[in-house]
Amino acid sequence: MNKEDKTFEKSAVFIDWYAQNLRKLPWRETKDPYFIWISEIILQQTRVIQGMKYYIRFIKCFPNVEILAKASREEVLKLWQGLGYYSRARNLHEAAKEIMTRFGGRFPQKYEDILSLKGIGCYTAAAIASIAWNQPYPVIDGNVFRVLGRLFAVETPTDTAEGKKLYSELAHRIMNPEQAGLHNQAVMEFGALQCVPQNPDCSRCPLQHQCRGYAGGKPQQYPVRHRKAKTRDRYFHFMYITYNNVYTYLCRRNEKDIWNGLFEFPMIETAQPADFDELKETDEFKRLFPPDSHAVFTLDKSGVRHILTHQVLHATFYRVEIRMESEALKDCLRISLQEMSDYPVPRLIHRYLSDVM
């Protein structure tokens, strides 16, 4: 560690920049670990502008950990609807229950205890511990990877064990432990507003003359990533069924797959794209719609693409009118059409319903 690092000069630069450029956000006006936790979970995979309204609604409905723990899973998922990555909401709910049972309803203060909660990793635990109690745990997220990668021209890929270790050492090296919470917020904000992924304005960067990436003339090549995640295509055929123009059907997804705990229309997944004639030949179609159901089908929407992490969903929606309820449909939840908005559904289905209702 050199003299510059010992005096935490870089940390002071980040903090000075932050004082002049920080965005006024509601979770920055509190040291309450519960509110900090909620904001950090919401902002994972979510932009601040979108996350703000969800944060405000969420803490209004669940103002403390006890109320969140007592809520039903459906209530939590419904409030989360539209944010995506629903495992965050499920884990949040489970962690609230853990806090009530394991910690007597008090948010744990020790880093190790925070880390032990469902859905909380090193980054979130460090954010909570540092911001709420000024504990010296540096945060390392995508923004911080980018800032450190450029500042030190790190050639080691971020998605390797060696890279993670190196970035952790660098993050600890530049942190002033006496201002841990402020430092973490400053570095994250710096990455979000100044050291942006594309076309960073290096001419206005206060660390320009210390940045090795800038000195090398190619700051945008950092951080280096080793592997590119593969994506797979999936083909979903949704059946929006109406029975006597009064009822429709929903199925809850409970398997270990996307959208666990959410409701969807009865759906047939095929390995390849399939038109209606091909769909009719599948066993699931025949199970849902035997001849005595007298089903009438209308192709409502096709070619809908919905992109998830490592997956691309290709969705087709059929509107189906039936005269007789099949045995397979009795395994689904039959609800009145007016009740549809009471159930948490994936964003893909929410958007469809917004278009047709």
Side-chain angles (χ1 to χ4, degrees):
M1 187 181 294
N2 59 37
K3 181 178 179 181
E4 179 189 60
D5 294 326
K6 286 183 179 179
T7 55
F8 309 113
E9 289 182 7
K10 290 183 175 64
S11 183
V13 172
F14 285 125
I15 291 172
D16 288 345
W17 177 92
Y18 183 64
Q20 300 174 47
N21 295 278
L22 82 162
R23 291 168 290 182
K24 292 185 178 179
L25 303 171
W27 47 86
R28 289 180 175 160
E29 298 172 2
T30 179
K31 296 293 184 182
D32 188 318
Y34 174 75
F35 295 126
I36 295 168
W37 172 47
I38 298 299
S39 71
E40 289 296 337
I41 298 299
I42 286 177
L43 293 178
Q44 292 172 8
Q45 309 290 343
T46 302
R47 293 178 297 111
V48 168
I49 293 174
Q50 182 189 16
M52 176 84 76
K53 60 183 180 181
Y54 280 91
Y55 171 82
I56 293 171
R57 285 210 310 258
F58 205 90
I59 62 172
K60 183 178 181 180
C61 290
F62 309 121
N64 57 56
V65 71
E66 181 178 5
I67 293 175
L68 175 57
K70 289 180 177 179
S72 69
R73 181 172 63 164
E74 286 72 23
E75 288 177 297
V76 176
L77 289 173
K78 182 63 181 175
L79 206 61
W80 201 269
Q81 183 171 293
L83 265 179
Y85 300 93
Y86 290 91
S87 61
R88 294 181 295 170
R90 293 191 297 271
N91 290 339
L92 198 68
H93 193 211
E94 291 302 315
K97 295 177 183 177
E98 288 183 58
I99 293 171
M100 296 305 299
T101 57
R102 291 172 51 203
F103 301 102
R106 294 178 63 86
F107 204 100
Q109 188 168 343
K110 290 178 61 177
Y111 174 83
E112 293 76 13
D113 289 337
I114 300 172
L115 190 59
S116 74
L117 295 172
K118 184 80 170 177
I120 292 185
C122 296
Y123 160 76
T124 305
I128 296 168
S130 64
I131 298 170
W133 297 291
N134 204 41
Q135 296 179 28
Y137 295 95
V139 296
I140 304 179
D141 68 350
N143 285 328
V144 178
F145 273 130
R146 185 167 58 256
V147 172
L148 294 178
R150 291 172 177 175
L151 190 57
F152 294 98
V154 180
E155 297 292 345
T156 309
T158 60
D159 50 357
T160 62
E162 183 184 0
K164 289 180 173 64
K165 180 181 178 183
L166 176 57
Y167 274 94
S168 178
E169 291 171 354
L170 292 173
H172 276 92
R173 183 189 300 176
I174 67 169
M175 169 183 272
N176 182 347
E178 295 182 0
Q179 294 182 292
L182 191 57
H183 169 89
N184 278 340
Q185 293 180 87
V187 176
M188 288 189 288
E189 191 80 333
F190 190 85
L193 301 182
Q194 175 63 45
C195 196
V196 295
Q198 301 298 324
N199 302 315
D201 188 358
C202 296
S203 65
R204 299 180 59 189
C205 178
L207 286 164
Q208 179 195 100
H209 299 298
Q210 299 179 52
C211 180
R212 296 176 190 172
Y214 176 77
K218 296 181 178 179
Q220 287 182 226
Q221 77 180 34
Y222 302 102
V224 176
R225 293 176 179 84
H226 182 63
R227 295 183 294 270
K228 185 176 181 180
K230 293 182 179 179
T231 60
R232 66 169 174 143
D233 293 294
R234 301 178 71 179
Y235 302 91
F236 287 4
H237 308 267
F238 292 104
M239 305 293 167
Y240 178 28
I241 302 167
T242 56
Y243 179 37
N244 291 335
N245 293 318
V246 175
Y247 300 106
T248 190
Y249 297 85
L250 293 175
C251 304
R252 189 203 294 273
R253 294 182 67 93
N254 289 317
E255 66 271 21
K256 292 183 178 180
D257 195 359
I258 59 172
W259 304 334
N260 186 287
L262 298 182
F263 291 86
E264 66 179 358
F265 299 130
M267 184 270 289
I268 301 170
E269 181 173 0
T270 57
Q272 301 293 333
D275 60 22
F276 186 67
D277 288 336
E278 293 168 318
L279 201 61
K280 285 193 300 183
E281 297 304 313
T282 64
D283 292 339
E284 184 62 15
F285 185 95
K286 294 173 182 177
R287 195 175 73 87
L288 285 170
F289 307 109
D292 61 1
S293 65
H294 301 288
V296 177
F297 297 85
T298 302
L299 176 61
D300 223 0
K301 269 196 169 186
S302 62
V304 180
R305 294 177 77 250
H306 188 68
I307 299 175
L308 303 175
T309 305
H310 312 323
Q311 297 186 41
V312 178
L313 308 184
H314 302 268
T316 302
F317 290 86
Y318 292 92
R319 194 183 292 257
V320 187
E321 298 178 14
I322 61 172
R323 297 182 189 175
M324 184 75 69
E325 184 179 74
S326 67
E327 287 299 315
L329 284 177
K330 291 178 182 178
D331 293 334
C332 300
L333 180 67
R334 187 174 74 178
I335 63 171
S336 70
L337 293 169
Q338 288 73 26
E339 292 179 288
M340 179 71 74
S341 61
D342 296 338
Y343 292 86
V345 298
R347 185 185 302 179
L348 174 61
I349 291 179
H350 178 71
R351 287 176 174 169
Y352 168 76
L353 289 171
S354 297
D355 290 341
V356 302
M357 297 184 72

